[in-house]
Amino acid sequence: MLFPFPKRQTILPPSFPLPTHPLSTRQSPDLAMRHGCLLCLLPLFLSLLSSPAHGVRLHGLGVNYGTLGNNLPTPAQSVRLIRSLNAGSVKIYDANATILSALAGTGLRVSIMVPNQLIPSLAANQCAADAWISTNLLPFRRTTRIRYLLVGNEILSDYSIKNSTWLALVPAIENLHRSIKSCSIHNIKVGTTLAMDALSVSFPPSNGTFRPDIAESVMRPLLTFLRKTRSYYFVDAYPYFPWSADPVNINLDYALFRAGPSLYYTDPVSKLVYTNLFDQMLDSVIAAMGKLCFNDVKLAVAETGWPNGGDLDQIGANVYNAAAYNRNLARRMARKPGTPARPRIDMPLFIFSLYNENQKPGPGTERHWGMYYPNKKPVYQVDLSGKRPLESYPPLPLPNNNYPYKGPIWCVFAGGKNTNQTELNGALQYACGQGNGTCNAIQPGGKCYKPNSLAVHASWAFNLYWQQFRKSGATCYFNGLAAQTAKDPSYGSCRFPSSLN
């Protein structure tokens, strides 16, 4: 089996860098500033004197509600879809006021998130933390069941913010928690989300170990806080990635919760028996916490799921497997099985995601995790309460990509009458600026110069860029302007190299 587990990630080309934010020196605000910060909360304190409305308590799995699409339904329509899934909770990636208002009175437990770029300022200034809580959380406390505040999203996977943000994570969490406590709020757990790549060793599960670059500097203070506040370690765990990286040694049935005893795995050290890959991943995190003497910190799953589509070279991303994973997971979690290392433990869990989001950068799978299409039609039926019998679901299209694609692949302009020509030209110029002679063939006199068309030239540049850099993480995306194809775009003497060249 392949370990450590890859995470679900977005690989951005150099032309679209992730922002970095300098870390200010952490300071303790003086007494006057502290009093001033608390005064800004006073009007909202008064609104908290009445009990918040909780609505009906729901018990299905949670849903991640992302909004990186230009064609998504309204928040009110989205909340109706979430409820139709029999979900019990929802996680959003900010503190969107319109979404939080739409969730009012639904009974859904809600998780909100602090954007990564705000972490340094929140760590440096208690007043900034107070102001964030005052603006983004308190106005919704009376009607919306906010239960989790997650500070940042997988920041320890982003090395571009290592110096600016990593060490600010726990101070920011502590300041926000202090702000919440000052409002006499006791039912909101504060934490952060971490990908599986926070571990340097994941196999066997009993050998789970945090990366040495974060174990003492970040993980120990984080786990100390989580233990003290009885909060959760929120992990993003995707069996799809280790399976797709090594489908020869990891059985697909084992990844989809349908393995028989012959496929079970016994940890040689703990002697615990594993019936699925998901439990293995969670127990490796539990073991890593144990190695730092934090065996009692609770675990939650902030993201998990399976892609319903992807690029030609992405194995196993299809509707059949996505439905099987989420349906089987819901049925399993309804029994509150815990994991082999922590049996019969209930844990919060959020499925990724509500929609296919067409503006997510990276490989094709990034835009195909949804349980719904943006037109509100289900990609497949699923009951997140886990109560629906599996045999009652209608048939699904059989998968045709559970084995690696062996044919040639090209990366070309995706077309579209409404394409912004300035944006397309910018992407073309970026591609031409990379690699060795990427655009020589489309210069005047070159073998691919004619027809002198921006679309044709873009296809050549996109393809040459992708063929040169795909093995180092480049994707055929270009902000939605490019897509993979199995149809040879070559013409005349202009021969496009393929993935097999």
Side-chain angles (χ1 to χ4, degrees):
M1 295 188 179
L2 180 71
F3 297 93
F5 295 109
K7 63 179 280 291
R8 184 184 66 79
Q9 60 185 342
T10 296
I11 301 175
L12 299 179
S15 60
F16 308 107
L18 290 169
T20 58
H21 304 271
L23 174 60
S24 303
T25 303
R26 176 169 165 77
Q27 300 176 348
S28 298
D30 59 30
L31 187 59
M33 174 180 283
R34 180 66 180 146
H35 285 172
C37 294
L38 288 176
L39 285 175
C40 76
L41 301 180
L42 183 57
L44 288 166
F45 259 125
L46 299 177
S47 71
L48 297 176
L49 294 178
S50 59
S51 298
H54 295 317
V56 178
R57 292 186 178 273
L58 307 172
H59 300 287
L61 301 184
V63 175
N64 281 279
Y65 174 10
T67 57
L68 292 180
N70 59 10
N71 55 356
L72 300 181
T74 66
Q77 294 169 329
S78 300
V79 169
R80 286 195 289 271
L81 294 179
I82 292 169
R83 298 183 75 177
S84 72
L85 293 168
N86 290 326
S89 52
V90 59
K91 179 161 74 72
I92 59 177
Y93 288 84
D94 49 21
N96 184 290
T98 305
I99 295 176
L100 289 173
S101 296
L103 288 165
T106 62
L108 289 162
R109 298 179 300 279
V110 178
S111 172
I112 61 176
M113 185 171 283
V114 176
N116 293 1
Q117 62 267 26
L118 297 183
I119 291 174
S121 62
L122 295 173
N125 192 326
Q126 182 65 56
C127 190
D130 290 345
W132 195 94
I133 294 298
S134 175
T135 301
N136 297 285
L137 191 153
L138 293 184
F140 307 99
R141 276 282 297 153
R142 294 182 63 190
T143 56
T144 304
R145 291 184 68 201
I146 299 174
R147 289 294 177 267
Y148 310 109
L149 173 60
L150 299 177
V151 184
N153 189 33
E154 298 186 351
I155 74 163
L156 299 181
S157 302
D158 184 358
Y159 285 82
S160 72
I161 60 173
K162 175 180 179 180
N163 295 329
S164 66
T165 308
W166 287 11
L167 293 181
L169 175 61
V170 176
I173 289 174
E174 290 173 335
N175 279 351
L176 289 163
H177 180 257
R178 192 174 296 113
S179 298
I180 291 173
K181 283 189 65 179
S182 71
C183 297
S184 299
I185 299 172
H186 304 290
N187 58 357
I188 294 179
K189 298 298 184 182
V190 186
T192 189
T193 69
L194 298 173
M196 287 299 300
D197 65 356
L199 276 63
S200 60
V201 180
S202 311
F203 184 78
S206 59
N207 200 29
T209 307
F210 288 119
R211 294 185 342 231
D213 61 328
I214 59 173
E216 293 297 330
S217 60
V218 182
M219 297 311 304
R220 185 175 293 281
L222 173 62
L223 292 168
T224 298
F225 170 85
L226 298 178
R227 169 188 279 167
K228 180 180 178 181
T229 61
R230 299 185 60 80
S231 188
Y232 296 87
Y233 181 112
F234 282 89
V235 63
D236 294 347
Y238 289 92
Y240 170 75
F241 289 105
W243 170 78
S244 63
D246 191 10
V248 173
N249 293 308
I250 302 177
N251 189 280
L252 179 59
D253 286 336
Y254 188 70
L256 294 176
F257 302 99
R258 59 188 189 196
S262 64
L263 296 176
Y264 293 173
Y265 171 74
T266 302
D267 188 302
V269 177
S270 68
K271 306 305 180 183
L272 295 173
V273 177
Y274 291 89
T275 65
N276 62 83
L277 184 54
F278 181 69
D279 282 354
Q280 267 192 238
M281 298 174 76
L282 298 189
D283 275 1
S284 67
V285 175
I286 291 169
M289 291 193 291
K291 285 183 172 57
L292 293 181
C293 300
F294 290 92
N295 295 289
D296 54 340
V297 172
K298 297 181 292 185
L299 190 66
V301 180
E303 292 182 12
T304 191
W306 196 280
N308 60 62
D311 294 327
L312 289 173
D313 56 354
Q314 292 188 290
I315 182 175
N318 56 65
V319 171
Y320 189 94
N321 291 345
Y325 181 86
N326 286 334
R327 290 171 181 176
N328 289 337
L329 177 62
R331 292 280 291 176
R332 175 178 175 79
M333 297 306 292
R335 301 192 298 269
K336 298 179 174 55
T339 71
R342 291 184 180 176
R344 296 177 296 281
I345 296 295
D346 193 16
M347 69 180 76
L349 186 150
F350 297 84
I351 297 289
F352 190 89
S353 61
L354 181 60
Y355 295 119
N356 284 349
E357 300 169 64
N358 68 348
Q359 292 184 315
K360 295 197 68 178
T365 50
E366 284 296 301
R367 294 172 289 283
H368 292 88
W369 291 89
M371 291 174 281
Y372 280 96
Y373 296 109
N375 64 5
K376 298 182 287 186
K377 292 184 178 179
V379 179
Y380 50 86
Q381 294 182 24
V382 60
D383 173 15
L384 296 185
S385 74
K387 295 178 181 179
R388 182 172 177 176
L390 297 178
E391 60 273 14
S392 71
Y393 290 106
L396 293 167
L398 294 177
N400 59 8
N401 65 346
N402 282 348
Y403 299 94
Y405 178 78
K406 297 182 179 180
I409 304 174
W410 295 267
C411 175
V412 298
F413 170 52
K417 296 181 180 179
N418 298 322
T419 299
N420 184 302
Q421 298 299 296
T422 300
E423 185 180 0
L424 180 59
N425 185 63
L428 167 63
Q429 296 305 319
Y430 167 77
C432 288
Q434 309 301 311
N436 182 21
T438 300
C439 291
N440 289 351
I442 56 175
Q443 302 305 313
K447 61 182 179 180
C448 298
Y449 177 70
K450 293 184 178 180
N452 184 13
S453 159
L454 181 60
V456 174
H457 287 181
S459 285
W460 174 269
F462 293 166
N463 187 63
L464 258 291
Y465 167 85
W466 183 66
Q467 303 297 357
Q468 290 182 73
F469 298 108
R470 62 189 177 85
K471 290 184 179 179
S472 58
T475 61
C476 179
Y477 180 62
F478 286 93
N479 282 352
L481 295 172
Q484 290 186 9
T485 181
K487 182 179 179 180
D488 189 349
S490 301
Y491 59 94
S493 61
C494 181
R495 312 308 299 172
F496 282 57
S498 79
S499 58
L500 299 183
N501 296 137

